[in-house]
Amino acid sequence: MSTSDLSSPSPAEVENLVVLFVGFALATFLYGLTFFQMYIYFSRYSNDDIWTRVLVGALFVLDTTSTCLVSELLYHYLITMFDVSMDVLYATTTFCIQDLLSVILTLIVQLFFARRLYTVCGGPSSITSRVVTVAVFFCAFIAFVFGLTSVGQVFKQRQLSAFALPPMAIVAGISQGFAAVTNIIIVVAMCWSLRPARYPDMHVPEGVIDNVVVLCVGRGLILAVVQLAFLGTFVAAPGKPYWIAFQMISCRVYVNTVLGLLNTREVKHGVGLNEEETLSDRQDSRNEGIPSALRFRMPLSTKATQQSVSFSRQDENSGGSEIEEASKSYGDDENLSSVRSRCSEQPAYDKASLS
């Protein structure tokens, strides 16, 4: 390859390198959020359920491994293969392993939400709970199986542009499609289950920011949006590298959604309380732990009532203290005046006796 060819890369090469760099930058940023949220969780919820703590640790380890593989992948394409034309991207072993970890992380997060739905939809006594949980399990399992098949095809074919071929495109499309259906079921079921009509003691979020956090993180809307964008990009242009960026960031969005859901809970004695927990338990937990910036606030009427009660108590206490101080000062003044009168009378008495 001549020097002129190196100085003027082809449009396809520029497209491939830009997609790789953008995917790496977003993946690195999201991993920073993963590390920060992991630290918050283990510092606040020290007595949380052992399985939840194991889940958070496993998600962090897998996400860290995947991010390291993405970094090595970018180094391979931009540094090691600097003198080689990038008109066509070839999947390295690192890329295949990273794709496999993405499929595994997607399954773990979807199973986590399935377990959450099993609880909030009514538990074992509810038919709706069992139906919704089975539907999520089934769709997630289908997406996982076809995802593994797609990874095997990539490992065998190596050329990423081969996804334009019908066999590979169909397998990958089914995997992404069932993953999107799973996330949509999760969002609808979470919004239907976690509503004030079913849980009267549940905290009601206030303001735009709190409602967005609840909808995107607490109900899993961000998962459905990212997965649908991934699916749409792949279906629209399977032979183009645009879907690679979504493949790099989607698993980190999944991980951060679970960590965000766990970290927005109230904490009581080191144990996290879900938003559907009783109001009394959540009120007792407000003085413990580090205050969360995403904590859901109480209704305005409740706040006003508590503030008025506290103000009235403060007024009563301050009034009582003022009366006590006034009585003390009045007693001190009387004692002081009596002492002064006695001292003034004593010299007069002595003078009279001498005269």
Side-chain angles (χ1 to χ4, degrees):
M1 182 178 294
S2 62
T3 307
S4 59
D5 294 334
L6 291 175
S7 60
S8 58
S10 63
E13 185 177 4
V14 173
E15 186 179 68
N16 293 334
L17 295 179
V18 168
V19 169
L20 289 173
F21 181 78
V22 171
F24 168 76
L26 294 176
T28 304
F29 171 75
L30 291 174
Y31 175 72
L33 293 180
T34 301
F35 188 88
F36 178 68
Q37 292 205 80
M38 183 273 302
Y39 172 77
I40 291 178
Y41 174 81
F42 283 106
S43 62
R44 292 189 64 191
Y45 306 95
S46 57
N47 296 325
D48 214 353
D49 181 68
I50 183 62
W51 294 110
T52 306
R53 293 167 61 83
V54 170
L55 172 66
V56 173
L59 290 177
F60 175 72
V61 171
L62 292 176
D63 196 21
T64 302
T65 305
S66 179
T67 305
C68 293
L69 294 177
V70 170
S71 302
E72 196 279 333
L73 186 68
L74 188 71
Y75 181 86
H76 171 78
Y77 284 125
L78 297 185
I79 305 300
T80 306
M81 306 294 290
F82 179 78
D83 294 335
V84 180
S85 176
M86 289 294 170
D87 292 342
V88 178
L89 290 177
Y90 289 90
T92 62
T93 303
T94 300
F95 183 90
C96 296
I97 297 176
Q98 191 268 335
D99 194 13
L100 176 62
L101 290 178
S102 178
V103 174
I104 294 174
L105 284 171
T106 300
L107 177 66
I108 293 175
V109 172
Q110 290 175 342
L111 293 182
F112 168 82
F113 273 95
R115 181 65 181 85
R116 182 94 172 97
L117 285 172
Y118 184 76
T119 302
V120 300
C121 289
S125 61
S126 173
I127 299 177
T128 304
S129 175
R130 287 178 284 180
V131 170
V132 171
T133 305
V134 170
V136 172
F137 266 101
F138 175 77
C139 295
F141 179 74
I142 295 298
F144 176 72
V145 171
F146 278 89
L148 293 180
T149 305
S150 178
V151 172
Q153 290 179 341
V154 173
F155 188 82
K156 182 179 179 180
Q157 181 66 29
R158 296 291 181 165
Q159 189 172 341
L160 294 179
S161 59
F163 274 104
L165 301 176
M168 295 186 66
I170 292 174
V171 172
I174 292 176
S175 175
Q176 300 303 325
F178 271 93
V181 171
T182 304
N183 294 341
I184 292 173
I185 295 174
I186 290 172
V187 174
V188 174
M190 291 288 286
C191 292
W192 178 82
S193 301
L194 290 174
R195 63 185 193 275
R198 299 188 74 248
Y199 293 97
D201 291 337
M202 186 178 65
H203 274 207
V204 178
E206 297 179 356
V208 177
I209 296 179
D210 284 347
N211 281 278
V212 169
V213 170
V214 171
L215 187 60
C216 292
V217 178
R219 306 298 181 264
L221 179 61
I222 188 66
L223 302 181
V225 172
V226 172
Q227 192 62 52
L228 286 173
F230 190 0
L231 175 63
T233 304
F234 180 80
V235 172
K240 294 290 185 177
Y242 308 131
W243 58 269
I244 297 177
F246 285 98
Q247 188 265 348
M248 289 181 178
I249 67 175
S250 61
C251 60
R252 283 149 197 84
V253 174
Y254 278 82
V255 172
N256 277 282
T257 301
V258 172
L259 295 180
L261 176 60
L262 294 175
N263 287 332
T264 53
R265 300 174 301 165
E266 298 288 345
V267 57
K268 181 179 181 180
H269 305 303
V271 179
L273 300 175
N274 294 318
E275 55 183 306
E276 71 272 10
E277 298 288 340
T278 59
L279 187 63
S280 59
D281 290 339
R282 297 173 69 84
Q283 285 178 346
D284 294 339
S285 67
R286 287 191 169 272
N287 294 327
E288 298 188 26
I290 303 173
S292 174
L294 302 178
R295 176 172 292 166
F296 308 135
R297 299 182 179 85
M298 299 175 60
L300 184 60
S301 59
T302 307
K303 287 183 179 180
T305 304
Q306 289 185 352
Q307 289 179 356
S308 61
V309 171
S310 62
F311 289 156
S312 62
R313 289 179 179 177
Q314 290 178 0
D315 293 338
E316 292 176 359
N317 295 333
S318 62
S321 61
E322 289 178 357
I323 293 174
E324 291 177 358
E325 291 179 358
S327 60
K328 289 180 180 180
S329 61
Y330 179 75
D332 294 339
D333 292 338
E334 282 188 341
N335 295 331
L336 183 61
S337 60
S338 61
V339 171
R340 287 180 178 177
S341 62
R342 289 175 182 177
C343 292
S344 59
E345 291 175 359
Q346 184 67 28
Y349 174 76
D350 294 339
K351 289 180 180 180
S353 61
L354 291 174
S355 61

